[in-house]
């Protein structure tokens, strides 16, 4: 049985969601944060808040960063090291969104071998300096795709990544131009799997315990499996896999409503205004049509006011 890692999704897996999932569902070895980035020469305040130690107590968290240069790596690393909380940093080389890729971040790095050397090499240097200083050790991992536009682009950059020995590499077997839909290139993932001795984590379209069992059977050397949208859609997924028993729909819905109610109470205390609160909590259901059924899902998503929204949730 492989460890399950919770993949980050911007706008969904922020600190409150991670804490509540860990408390009520669990089954996850580590929760990865949405990436910290540099904008206008400094870290975004929202990203800084999300990794504050006091918001991540008793939750196994790995912060993820996205960078296009050694200078950006330095800013991000310095902040995370100053917290003295995190032992591993995950480098995002897979984000498919043009806002990042056109600036050479995320999957945009996959077509720039020299930039990969600069960014990954700098991260390795900073981790080694930290360890040599006698302070708590830090290391890094890499999350990537097969390529920006071609499924073969990983072949050019893998030797560079291997040179700097990350603790593991997570591979999502799509290219960036597909974003999160379309074919999974599993044969190309298998070539990647066979080509490196680095510890490998699989990520992509895991929705059921059967999917996890299938991936584990086909790729027994995997270090772990990373799941994002599948856990947002089915928060019990990792626990079902760990228990070896598929939960009933009623039991899964019971957990979902308990998580929602806890998140609702959290956000009710910090978000002023009913309209803003409704806009925030309604995103909790974005990936759950398959679990709820189309009728219940539409009723929740189309609720125009808090009264109708809470009534639709209660009817689950």
């Amino acid at each position: 049985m492989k460890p399950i890692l919770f993949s980050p999704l911007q706008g969904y897996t922020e600190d409150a969601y991670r804490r509540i999932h860990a408390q009520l569902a669990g089954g996850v070895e580590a929760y990865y944060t949405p990436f910290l980035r540099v904008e206008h020469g400094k870290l975004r305040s929202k990203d800084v808040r999300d990794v504050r130690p006091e918001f991540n107590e008793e939750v196994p968290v790995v912060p993820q960063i996205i960078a296009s240069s050694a200078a950006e790596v330095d800013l991000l690393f310095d902040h995370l090291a100053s917290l003295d909380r995190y032992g591993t940093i995950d480098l995002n080389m897979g984000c498919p969104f043009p806002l990042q890729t056109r600036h050479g971040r995320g999957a945009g790095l996959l077509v720039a071998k020299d930039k990969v050397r600069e960014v990954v090499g700098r991260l390795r240097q900073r981790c080694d300096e930290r360890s040599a200083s006698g302070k708590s050790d830090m290391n890094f991992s890499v999350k990537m795709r097969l390529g920006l536009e071609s499924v073969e682009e990983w072949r050019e950059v893998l030797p560079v990544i291997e040179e700097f020995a990350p603790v593991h590499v997570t591979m999502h077997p799509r290219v960036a131009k597909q974003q999160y839909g379309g074919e999974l290139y599993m044969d190309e993932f298998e070539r990647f799997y066979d080509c490196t001795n680095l510890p490998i984590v699989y990520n992509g379209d895991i929705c059921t315990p059967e999917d996890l069992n299938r991936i584990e059977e086909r790729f027994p050397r995997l270090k772990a499996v990373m799941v994002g949208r599948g856990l947002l859609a089915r928060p019990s997924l990792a626990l079902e896999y760990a228990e070896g028993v598929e939960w009933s729909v009623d039991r899964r819905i019971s957990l979902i409503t308990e998580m929602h109610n806890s998140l609702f109470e959290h956000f009710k205390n910090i978000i002023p205004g009913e309209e803003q609160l409704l806009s925030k909590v309604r995103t909790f259901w974005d990936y759950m049509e398959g679990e709820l059924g189309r009728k219940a899902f539409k009723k929740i998503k189309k609720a125009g006011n808090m009264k109708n929204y809470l009534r639709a949730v209660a009817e689950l």
Side-chain angles (χ1 to χ4, degrees):
M1 187 163 294
K2 303 298 181 183
I4 304 301
L5 311 177
F6 204 140
S7 182
L9 283 88
Q10 294 280 348
Y12 295 95
T13 60
E14 57 202 5
D15 64 283
Y17 184 95
R18 297 192 300 266
R19 288 195 306 273
I20 288 169
H21 186 275
Q23 292 164 6
L24 300 180
V28 170
E29 182 172 278
Y31 294 80
Y32 285 60
T33 72
F35 56 71
L36 286 77
R37 72 193 80 175
V38 174
E39 287 186 351
H40 309 298
K42 61 182 181 179
L43 275 65
R44 295 198 318 166
S45 58
K46 180 180 179 181
D47 300 343
V48 169
R49 182 199 178 283
D50 192 55
V51 296
R52 284 171 60 177
E54 60 266 35
F55 296 146
N56 293 283
E57 291 180 357
E58 299 181 6
V59 181
V61 170
V62 176
Q64 186 180 88
I65 64 172
I66 195 167
S68 63
S69 67
E72 289 186 353
V73 169
D74 283 341
L75 287 170
L76 294 159
F77 186 92
D78 285 342
H79 177 72
L80 291 171
S82 74
L83 301 176
D84 200 24
R85 164 67 166 80
Y86 302 108
T88 303
I89 296 172
D90 191 56
L91 173 65
N92 185 313
M93 290 177 51
C95 177
F97 297 119
L99 185 62
Q100 298 298 329
T101 60
R102 69 169 175 250
H103 294 294
R105 302 186 186 96
L109 277 173
L110 297 172
V111 292
K113 188 175 178 179
D114 289 344
K115 276 292 183 181
V116 172
R117 181 174 298 280
E118 176 186 342
V119 169
V120 180
R122 186 61 169 171
L123 192 49
R124 166 48 64 207
Q125 180 185 350
R126 295 305 308 275
C127 288
D128 290 348
E129 289 172 352
R130 170 79 177 189
S131 298
S133 72
K135 299 178 181 178
S136 57
D137 288 350
M138 294 182 70
N139 215 323
F140 76 97
S141 56
V142 171
K143 187 174 189 290
M144 62 186 292
R145 289 181 175 235
L146 295 171
L148 183 64
E149 296 186 349
S150 165
V151 298
E152 298 181 353
E153 287 166 353
W154 64 269
R155 301 181 188 188
E156 285 292 313
V157 299
L158 178 61
V160 178
I161 295 170
E162 289 176 320
E163 180 181 338
F164 297 109
V167 294
H168 66 248
V169 175
T170 300
M171 175 61 82
H172 181 107
R174 287 189 172 99
V175 295
K177 68 179 180 180
Q178 294 177 277
Q179 296 202 9
Y180 296 98
E183 179 183 0
L184 287 170
Y185 292 97
M186 296 305 297
D187 289 344
E188 194 65 26
F189 177 85
E190 188 165 5
R191 293 185 186 96
F192 171 80
Y193 175 87
D194 290 336
C195 190
T196 182
N197 291 321
L198 288 173
I200 299 170
V201 175
Y202 174 85
N203 171 238
D205 287 16
I206 298 292
C207 301
T208 67
E210 291 79 9
D211 292 336
L212 286 163
N213 290 328
R214 173 178 47 81
I215 289 295
E216 180 183 1
E217 182 177 351
R218 182 171 177 182
F219 303 106
R221 190 168 55 83
L222 288 175
K223 177 182 179 181
V225 178
M226 182 175 279
V227 185
R229 292 169 296 158
L231 274 165
L232 287 173
R234 185 170 174 167
S236 58
L237 176 59
L239 190 55
E240 292 179 69
Y241 171 66
E243 293 177 347
V245 177
E246 187 165 350
W247 290 11
S248 67
V249 173
D250 287 346
R251 187 180 177 191
R252 300 201 305 263
I253 295 297
S254 177
L255 171 63
I256 287 168
T257 54
E258 187 179 10
M259 285 184 60
H260 167 268
N261 294 342
S262 293
L263 279 165
F264 184 87
E265 289 301 315
H266 169 80
F267 288 120
K268 186 173 71 172
N269 293 324
I270 62 174
I271 296 179
E274 186 174 288
E275 185 176 342
Q276 294 95 323
L277 175 60
L278 180 58
S279 176
K280 178 61 179 177
V281 296
R282 196 158 44 193
T283 62
F284 174 77
W285 309 97
D286 282 356
Y287 292 93
M288 292 189 182
E289 183 175 353
E291 284 288 272
L292 306 184
R294 183 164 180 78
K295 183 178 178 181
F297 177 78
K298 288 181 67 176
K299 193 168 185 178
I300 289 172
K301 295 298 289 181
K302 290 188 174 183
N305 57 57
M306 189 63 75
K307 181 180 178 180
N308 289 340
Y309 171 79
L310 292 176
R311 181 186 296 121
V313 173
E315 289 174 0
L316 293 175

